[in-house]
Amino acid sequence: MPQHKFGRFNFPTSRALVMGILNATPDSFSDGGQFAALDYAITHAEQMIRDGADILDIGGESSRPGAPPVPLEEELRRVLPLIFALRDCGQAISVDTYKPEVMREAVLAGVDMINDINGFRAPGAIEAVKDSDCALCVMHMLNNPTTMQAQPEYNDVVREVTAFLAERIAVLTAAGIDKERLWIDPGFGFGKTVEHNYALLKAGRQMVAELGVPLLAGLSRKSMIGAVTGKPVEQRLAGSIGGALAAVAHGAQIVRVHDVAETVDALKVWQAAH
Ligand code: 9MG
């Protein structure tokens, strides 16, 4: 049976996987401090596991447009205790970071995926992950989180994003990284208008066929959902489930979501109907 090698795990290719978003950003815990934030994140992770998440994606820095960068030491302080608390939880652990030093520590701590919104472009990023067996998610982003949404422009968004991903795959494999470890992600909302996002969503299968690498899609609660539904971020559950199913219909093998229980149920019904 064909499988995705994913760090310590082998996942079937016969169904889409659900990656639950686990924020280690203690914004709402300024009073309770670090331990309250850690406790809350662990409780949230345990709930996502009960809800059927295949992968937990731990992130210590928000990538929302305009979000301030987090210093290295602070990101490590947020992320590492969570990795240690969760690495033996039975599900795969991914770390969302673009910092090579965080990648190194995460790899040493035994995570299964590094999810880099910067496509492993930072100096030292490739060296940090090269000798591990982690899966690597290579995402496209135009510019950086501070500037990415300032009038993004492409002549042909699908062609340009595909070319970027092809170049990153070539660089990573030339460095000795097995192509089987790689995942591609068009980076919905990262330097794209609503039209760009939907053009990329519809081009999922074409990108997978062209690049020969499986696709991870993250649309959950994003503005591309709000633009179509007219709903604010806290009312985007149904739209996000629609987006997750659309992404899978267009070839995604992992969907990165906030609402794990609802997405897992929707995908079970989807799967039963195929
Ligand atoms: C961290 N992060 C936020 N949005 C994301 C997306 O769409 N894909 C990936 N891989 N990571 C994301």
Side-chain angles (χ1 to χ4, degrees):
M1 191 177 54
Q3 291 182 321
H4 298 294
K5 277 169 56 65
F6 205 95
R8 298 166 294 169
F9 294 79
N10 286 315
F11 284 123
T13 58
S14 53
R15 68 173 178 90
L17 305 168
V18 174
M19 169 186 264
I21 299 169
L22 188 60
N23 287 323
T25 48
D27 311 339
S28 43
F29 289 93
S30 46
D31 297 339
Q34 190 191 351
F35 295 111
L38 182 61
D39 264 6
Y40 178 83
I42 292 171
T43 304
H44 184 201
E46 288 168 348
Q47 185 61 52
M48 289 200 288
I49 293 166
R50 282 193 294 276
D51 289 343
D54 300 288
I55 306 157
L56 301 176
D57 189 36
I58 301 173
E61 175 175 318
S62 170
S63 54
R64 275 196 315 273
V70 172
L72 170 64
E73 289 309 321
E74 174 61 17
E75 187 173 334
L76 286 170
R77 206 172 58 81
R78 292 177 183 185
V79 161
L80 282 180
L82 259 183
I83 299 175
F84 289 123
L86 295 171
R87 66 181 171 187
D88 295 321
C89 71
Q91 304 309 122
I93 302 295
S94 165
V95 172
D96 149 25
T97 187
Y98 57 84
K99 296 190 182 86
E101 297 85 349
V102 179
M103 293 178 189
R104 257 181 218 287
E105 294 296 329
V107 163
L108 281 174
V111 303
D112 304 290
M113 171 179 258
I114 301 291
N115 171 26
D116 184 358
I117 61 168
N118 194 36
F120 299 90
R121 285 180 290 172
I126 294 179
E127 289 68 27
V129 298
K130 191 164 105 75
D131 296 326
S132 71
D133 61 357
C134 283
L136 305 174
C137 181
V138 183
M139 201 194 80
H140 174 271
M141 170 171 55
L142 192 67
N143 303 322
N144 62 58
T146 316
T147 57
M148 64 191 180
Q149 285 304 102
Q151 293 188 317
E153 277 181 31
Y154 303 84
N155 287 322
D156 179 337
V157 69
V158 172
R159 199 173 49 74
E160 288 169 50
V161 170
T162 306
F164 168 87
L165 294 171
E167 186 266 345
R168 296 315 301 156
I169 292 168
V171 171
L172 287 155
T173 52
I177 291 173
D178 190 344
K179 195 172 177 185
E180 285 190 0
R181 291 173 56 195
L182 304 182
W183 290 74
I184 50 164
D185 184 339
F188 297 114
F190 287 82
K192 283 114 193 165
T193 63
V194 173
E195 290 72 27
H196 294 145
N197 286 322
Y198 282 96
L200 288 164
L201 180 59
K202 289 186 245 177
R205 283 192 191 280
Q206 178 190 324
M207 294 169 85
V208 170
E210 223 169 285
L211 300 171
V213 172
L215 176 70
L216 184 155
L219 307 79
S220 184
R221 300 184 187 171
K222 287 190 178 171
S223 57
M224 67 187 286
I225 304 296
V228 170
T229 58
K231 297 281 172 68
V233 68
E234 65 280 4
Q235 292 173 28
R236 292 183 187 160
L237 170 60
S240 297
I241 293 170
L245 294 182
V248 172
H250 287 296
Q253 287 266 302
I254 298 180
V255 284
R256 182 178 183 277
V257 303
H258 296 89
D259 303 293
V260 169
E262 294 85 350
T263 311
V264 166
D265 278 359
L267 283 170
K268 280 183 181 165
V269 175
W270 171 268
Q271 182 78 16
H274 273 71

